[in-house]
């Protein structure tokens, strides 16, 4: 529980001053996206996890490496499936109830709503259980919410698509053994 409290505090400091609470419809949509992600994580549904990524991000990365978006999606799904075959996951613990959202306008004029959510999950690999605390970037790009587990190492790549990420501070990812 202490981990979630620390992550909440860090997430609040990552948002701009214009942050606001999610409205009821936003919170419901985000909760549906979080539930679907958690279900995919627990059940080992690699395609479900890949589908949680924003199409805009997938198009950007596909173009940058010379693949079609479909080919990139298939490759990422296969890589995720291979990783998940060796690892089991517990549910994603993330609560949008207290989330603070911000708005950003992309270069093409698209407005996105976004929030950094503290999140945690347990995983087991090779007989070792760990609890991972890693922030989740929740993006509403169009009508749908998308989720990306994010750390500072990924931030620069994501800022190519979502420039507002370049200036935010993210809580550190933590990995702690579970007894």
């Amino acid at each position: 529980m202490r981990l979630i409290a620390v992550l909440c505090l860090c997430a609040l400091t990552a948002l701009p001053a214009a942050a606001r609470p999610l409205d009821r419809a936003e919170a419901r949509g985000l909760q549906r996206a979080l539930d679907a992600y958690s279900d995919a994580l627990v059940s080992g549904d690699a395609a479900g996890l890949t589908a949680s990524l924003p199409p805009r991000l997938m198009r950007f990365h596909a173009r940058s490496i010379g693949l079609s978006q479909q080919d990139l999606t298939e490759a990422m799904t296969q890589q995720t499936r291979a990783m998940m075959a060796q690892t089991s996951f517990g549910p994603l613990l993330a609560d949008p109830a207290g989330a603070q959202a911000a708005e950003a306008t992309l270069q093409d004029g698209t407005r996105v709503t976004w929030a950094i959510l503290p999140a945690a999950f347990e995983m087991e690999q090779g007989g070792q259980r760990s609890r991972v605390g890693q922030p989740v970037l929740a993006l509403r790009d169009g009508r749908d919410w998308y989720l990306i587990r994010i750390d500072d190492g990924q931030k620069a790549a994501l800022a190519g698509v979502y420039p507002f990420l370049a200036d935010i501070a993210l809580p550190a990812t933590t990995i702690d053994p579970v007894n």
Side-chain angles (χ1 to χ4, degrees):
M1 200 60 164
R2 193 176 99 206
L3 171 66
I4 296 295
V6 169
L7 288 173
C8 284
L9 178 61
C10 292
L12 289 175
T13 62
L15 292 171
R20 60 167 177 75
L22 293 171
D23 67 32
R24 190 172 302 194
E26 289 171 329
R28 276 194 310 267
L30 179 52
Q31 186 63 62
R32 281 191 301 274
L34 287 165
D35 291 346
Y37 186 94
S38 184
D39 290 348
L41 191 63
V42 171
S43 68
D45 177 7
L49 292 175
T50 303
S52 72
L53 297 171
R56 179 184 307 269
L57 179 65
M58 297 298 284
R59 281 191 302 274
F60 175 82
H61 285 306
R63 277 194 306 264
S64 71
I65 59 175
L67 291 176
S68 70
Q69 185 175 343
Q70 180 179 348
D71 287 345
L72 177 62
T73 299
E74 289 173 11
M76 288 182 69
T77 300
Q78 288 175 359
Q79 289 175 351
T80 302
R81 189 174 292 120
M83 184 271 306
M84 294 185 87
Q86 301 173 26
T87 308
S88 63
F89 294 89
L92 179 73
L93 305 173
D95 185 2
Q100 294 291 304
E103 307 274 329
T105 302
L106 303 178
Q107 285 183 322
D108 68 0
T110 302
R111 292 208 33 94
V112 296
T113 302
W114 62 278
I116 303 292
L117 303 175
F121 58 91
E122 287 189 9
M123 61 183 264
E124 184 174 335
Q125 186 174 35
Q128 301 291 335
R129 288 190 66 75
S130 300
R131 181 172 178 84
V132 178
Q134 186 175 38
V136 170
L137 170 63
L139 285 164
R140 191 181 68 190
D141 188 345
R143 292 180 304 198
D144 297 319
W145 282 96
Y146 300 96
L147 305 172
I148 306 168
R149 290 192 344 252
I150 185 174
D151 60 31
D152 277 327
Q154 299 162 310
K155 195 168 70 169
L158 291 171
V161 180
Y162 299 104
F164 57 86
L165 292 174
D167 298 326
I168 65 167
L170 294 173
T173 296
T174 59
I175 302 175
D176 297 309
V178 175
N179 297 331

